[in-house]
Amino acid sequence: MPILNHRGLILAWLLLVSSLAAAEGVVEAAPGKSVERHISSDSPSSLWARDPYLLDTESGDTLEQQDVLALEADTVKLTNVVPPIRFDSGVANIPASYIDRLRAILESMRHLHNVRLHMVGHADDQPLSRSLSGIYGDNAGLSRERAGEVAEFIQTALGLPPESISFAWAGDTEPIASNATPEGRARNRRVEVEVWYDEIREKVATEEVVVPQQIKRIKVCRTETVCKLRYREGHAHRARVKNLVAPLHLAEENVEVPEDFIRQVGEALHNLRDRQNVTVKFIGFTDDL
């Protein structure tokens, strides 16, 4: 078939489609009217592509010094809340009333943060006997043992968790009376009970924070509607099927329609032979020269 007849076939299809569209009242874009829209320059754009050579110069996540709001705890130590526990005859005398008083103090401080008890053991300056030195070593070891015994007893009596009680020792280095008299030495043999709690306050601190590297990669997928269904009230549904035939690309001033393109159009019509009122629409495009 001559080339001119191929062109005539295409023009006949265009005229037929135009007449059918006009008959059905379907609104179509006018010939030559642009059906594409440019993105507004006012809209912010997102960079999806990334120059691969720039990736070699980027260091990834970085550490930076920044001012952050942090919490800081100051420990408040209350002394002389209860009288010291004495070791008059080498044995501590801890009455039940003493335990009840400690329990009431802890109950009244429930609104405070991290309330706990701390024991400090003390001793007089008298040298230990041979039997006691074999057990405790010196007065420091004796005061350590006494503080530990009192801490264990009070923890059990009050049912406190292990982290709520601690003890330390000072030996004979912190006397509160003269060791020259029996009365003074008796006052120095003691375990002092302190009540500790934490005061929480906010402060601005400089810390290292991780700043993630923002890398935008290439968007590799997209969605496109290839089938549109349209209908008017009172009329049968009309389906428009696009992209059944690959576009025909023409060179400059070339109007030849290859046989393969005509064959594809024929195959598309054959595949839709069970449909009614099948029409083919040709849309032409040019460059901007």
Side-chain angles (χ1 to χ4, degrees):
M1 182 181 292
I3 297 177
L4 182 59
N5 290 339
H6 294 170
R7 295 186 58 192
L9 176 62
I10 295 176
L11 293 175
W13 275 113
L14 290 175
L15 292 174
L16 177 60
V17 170
S18 299
S19 61
L20 291 175
E24 295 186 6
V26 178
V27 179
E28 300 288 347
K33 183 178 179 181
S34 175
V35 295
E36 296 183 355
R37 298 291 184 268
H38 292 283
I39 298 177
S40 173
S41 59
D42 297 333
S43 303
S45 59
S46 299
L47 179 63
W48 285 97
R50 194 70 172 177
D51 189 344
Y53 296 102
L54 293 179
L55 296 178
D56 297 334
T57 63
E58 295 176 343
S59 58
D61 296 347
T62 58
L63 288 176
E64 293 184 2
Q65 297 282 344
Q66 294 185 5
D67 292 337
V68 297
L69 192 62
L71 299 179
E72 186 178 54
D74 293 331
T75 300
V76 178
K77 301 179 180 180
L78 303 179
T79 60
N80 301 320
V81 178
V82 291
I85 298 173
R86 305 293 180 183
F87 285 81
D88 295 332
S89 57
V91 179
N93 181 20
I94 307 178
S97 59
Y98 194 92
I99 299 299
D100 293 339
R101 184 174 179 181
L102 271 179
R103 182 180 290 108
I105 292 173
L106 296 178
E107 186 67 23
S108 66
M109 301 175 68
R110 290 176 63 89
H111 63 286
L112 300 176
H113 184 74
N114 194 22
V115 179
R116 55 202 184 274
L117 298 178
H118 182 71
M119 316 295 168
V120 182
H122 299 271
D124 57 28
D125 64 351
Q126 296 300 303
L128 299 183
S129 64
R130 180 175 297 180
S131 60
L132 291 179
S133 62
I135 300 175
Y136 306 116
D138 54 12
N139 286 325
L142 179 62
S143 65
R144 179 182 67 248
E145 183 67 19
R146 288 174 173 173
E149 290 180 356
V150 171
E152 184 177 358
F153 178 84
I154 292 179
Q155 178 190 354
T156 303
L158 295 176
L160 300 176
E163 64 272 11
S164 295
I165 196 163
S166 60
F167 67 92
W169 56 94
D172 56 8
T173 60
E174 299 178 5
I176 58 175
S178 174
N179 285 307
T181 63
E183 293 79 8
R185 291 193 295 270
R187 294 185 59 193
N188 291 333
R189 295 190 298 268
R190 70 198 188 278
V191 172
E192 296 177 344
V193 180
E194 300 177 356
V195 182
W196 294 3
Y197 66 91
D198 293 338
E199 284 187 347
I200 307 300
R201 60 184 179 88
E202 294 182 345
K203 70 170 185 176
V204 177
T206 302
E207 296 182 0
E208 285 189 342
V209 297
V210 177
V211 179
Q213 177 67 38
Q214 299 294 335
I215 299 179
K216 294 182 179 179
R217 294 174 173 83
I218 297 176
K219 184 178 182 181
V220 296
C221 62
R222 66 175 183 173
T223 60
E224 180 182 0
T225 302
V226 296
C227 181
K228 296 182 179 179
L229 297 179
R230 299 180 181 177
Y231 72 95
R232 293 182 303 166
E233 186 176 357
H235 293 72
H237 292 185
R238 177 179 177 182
R240 292 188 175 185
V241 184
K242 299 173 57 179
N243 301 336
L244 289 181
V245 181
L248 174 62
H249 296 279
L250 301 176
E252 294 182 1
E253 300 181 358
N254 181 17
V255 295
E256 180 180 358
V257 180
E259 293 290 341
D260 185 61
F261 180 78
I262 299 177
R263 180 184 55 80
Q264 293 183 36
V265 175
E267 290 178 353
L269 291 174
H270 179 74
N271 293 334
L272 296 173
R273 63 185 181 279
D274 58 337
R275 302 291 188 267
Q276 296 181 356
N277 300 323
V278 177
T279 59
V280 180
K281 181 177 181 179
F282 297 92
I283 303 176
F285 298 90
T286 64
D287 54 28
D288 60 351
L289 296 179

